[in-house]
Amino acid sequence: MRGNHVHIEEPGPSELRSPLVNREIQRASVWIGVAVAVALLWFLAQPIMLILGALVLATMMDGGTRLLGRVLPISRGWRLTIVLISAVLFLAYTFYLTGSSLAMQAQAMRSIVEAQVVRIGGWMEQLGVTTTPNDFKSLASQAFSSLGRVTAAVGTMMGAVTSGVMMLVLAIFIAVEPRLYERGVAWMLPMGRRVGFYNVVDKMGWTLRRLMFGRLIGMAVEGVGTWLLLLAGGVPMAGLLGILTGLFALLPNIGAIISGVLIVLVGFSAGVNAGLYAFAVYLVVQIVDGYLIVPMVAKRATDLAPALVLAAQILFGALFGILGLFLADPIVAMIKVYLEERSKARDDGPATSGIVRIE
């Protein structure tokens, strides 16, 4: 204070009380947070994808438990136990009956596919295309070597078995009491956001159950249909081709292409008529699954554009490998549900602070 004049000091740019400094710190924090999140996503790709895979498996177990609860009025733990034991017995029984024959068919199929690739290479050379079978092999090796961090981490047999066991155990723990983990995550959120969180989780669970149920039905239809139709037409290795087609149905779009190539190559190894018949079987099975099974079971719940799913598979496959291909459409479906529920919550206004949830 000098004389009768009062001078009020204001914070300068070097002080944290400055609005300019606070605004710049907030902007910098956003970008730093994004950079840290990307780095963590890259370095923690394997555990993140294993956790997401466990969530998808837990959703499948939960769906089977809920479905069984409609006919068996017993506790959830017993219903989950029945689902798990039934799945294990089915897999053990299937591989016990067909294990030896499938092993021999797999060895024969490798020779057939290699011979067919050589024939295709020779036919292309006659047309003037300078592509050799070695080019096909190098292309396949490049495709497999370009797979992401998760595939590199579980590339060995021991790594794959260990990762699968960890994912299965985590999925069982989550499926035993999923509400416990939902409440644990919700506890870390502000009270005003918990209602929206529960709504999003419930809708995600319903969507994933519907999606994975449709995928399991599609696997059964494609696998059994391919096996029976190829067997009726006298195409060799019908059983192995049916199992591979059912397994590749876990990977929408890309899996259908791989199984179709194998079916056609093996079919043409038995003659032109068998090859054309095998190609027709592939088309019929894919049409039934794509235009009948998927729309009835899964499309109403997810309604994902095929181009969006394929783009997500390419991206996640390049980043995270085979597991990324498997989880591409569940991740896209969960993101879609989150955006839709967030938009609804924004339109409906703020949620109430008091929460009463009926379990």
Side-chain angles (χ1 to χ4, degrees):
M1 180 183 300
R2 294 180 180 178
N4 296 326
H5 298 283
V6 178
H7 179 71
I8 300 176
E9 295 287 340
E10 295 182 355
S14 61
E15 298 188 40
L16 293 180
R17 292 180 297 167
S18 170
L20 176 61
V21 174
N22 286 329
R23 187 163 56 250
E24 294 301 324
I25 289 177
Q26 290 175 358
R27 292 178 179 177
S29 300
V30 171
W31 288 108
I32 293 174
V34 171
V36 171
V38 172
L40 289 176
L41 181 63
W42 177 253
F43 287 107
L44 301 177
Q46 181 187 6
I48 290 175
M49 296 306 291
L50 290 180
I51 291 172
L52 290 176
L55 289 175
V56 173
L57 288 179
T59 301
M60 298 170 67
M61 298 175 189
D62 182 59
T65 303
R66 290 169 180 261
L67 190 63
L68 194 60
R70 298 182 179 182
V71 294
L72 287 179
I74 56 179
S75 65
R76 177 183 175 84
W78 284 111
R79 284 183 276 126
L80 179 61
T81 303
I82 293 174
V83 170
L84 293 176
I85 293 177
S86 300
V88 171
L89 290 178
F90 172 76
L91 293 176
Y93 181 74
T94 301
F95 284 102
Y96 174 76
L97 290 181
T98 61
S100 58
S101 61
L102 288 181
M104 292 186 294
Q105 289 184 13
Q107 294 178 355
M109 177 179 288
R110 179 178 179 180
S111 301
I112 290 175
V113 171
E114 290 179 352
Q116 292 294 85
V117 169
V118 172
R119 290 180 59 185
I120 293 174
W123 176 68
M124 294 180 68
E125 287 182 355
Q126 292 179 359
L127 296 178
V129 180
T130 58
T131 301
T132 62
N134 291 328
D135 296 330
F136 289 105
K137 293 181 180 179
S138 63
L139 180 62
S141 63
Q142 291 176 6
F144 282 104
S145 64
S146 65
L147 294 179
R149 292 177 56 85
V150 177
T151 300
V154 299
T156 62
M157 180 62 69
M158 183 61 66
V161 172
T162 303
S163 300
V165 171
M166 292 173 57
M167 192 163 55
L168 181 60
V169 171
L170 181 59
I172 292 174
F173 278 118
I174 295 174
V176 168
E177 194 172 356
R179 298 297 188 192
L180 175 64
Y181 302 97
E182 291 179 15
R183 291 193 296 268
V185 176
W187 177 79
M188 295 184 289
L189 299 176
M191 289 290 294
R193 296 187 178 181
R194 294 185 186 181
V195 172
F197 170 77
Y198 285 130
N199 291 335
V200 170
V201 169
D202 290 340
K203 186 63 181 296
M204 280 184 179
W206 182 84
T207 301
L208 285 181
R209 286 194 299 270
R210 191 89 173 182
L211 178 65
M212 300 313 297
F213 179 71
R215 186 175 292 186
L216 290 176
I217 295 297
M219 289 175 62
V221 170
E222 291 190 30
V224 176
T226 300
W227 167 52
L228 293 177
L229 292 175
L230 292 180
L231 185 64
V235 177
M237 305 177 189
L240 180 60
L241 288 173
I243 292 178
L244 291 177
T245 301
L247 292 177
F248 282 127
L250 277 170
L251 308 175
N253 301 324
I254 295 178
I257 296 174
I258 298 174
S259 61
V261 170
L262 292 177
I263 290 172
V264 171
L265 288 178
V266 174
F268 275 101
S269 68
V272 176
N273 293 332
L276 294 176
Y277 176 80
F279 181 69
V281 167
Y282 168 75
L283 289 180
V284 169
V285 171
Q286 293 301 322
I287 289 173
V288 170
D289 180 57
Y291 291 94
L292 183 62
I293 303 299
V294 173
M296 283 196 317
V297 179
K299 191 173 182 180
R300 294 178 182 176
T302 56
D303 195 21
L304 298 176
L308 177 62
V309 175
L310 183 58
Q313 287 178 332
I314 295 173
L315 177 62
F316 283 97
L319 291 175
F320 308 117
I322 300 298
L323 194 57
L325 288 175
F326 169 67
L327 296 175
D329 52 331
I331 292 176
V332 172
M334 286 190 289
I335 293 175
K336 180 175 180 289
V337 169
Y338 171 75
L339 295 177
E340 289 178 346
E341 293 300 315
R342 184 178 180 182
S343 177
K344 290 180 182 178
R346 186 177 301 170
D347 295 338
D348 295 339
T352 59
S353 58
I355 298 176
V356 178
R357 194 181 189 206
I358 300 175
E359 300 293 341

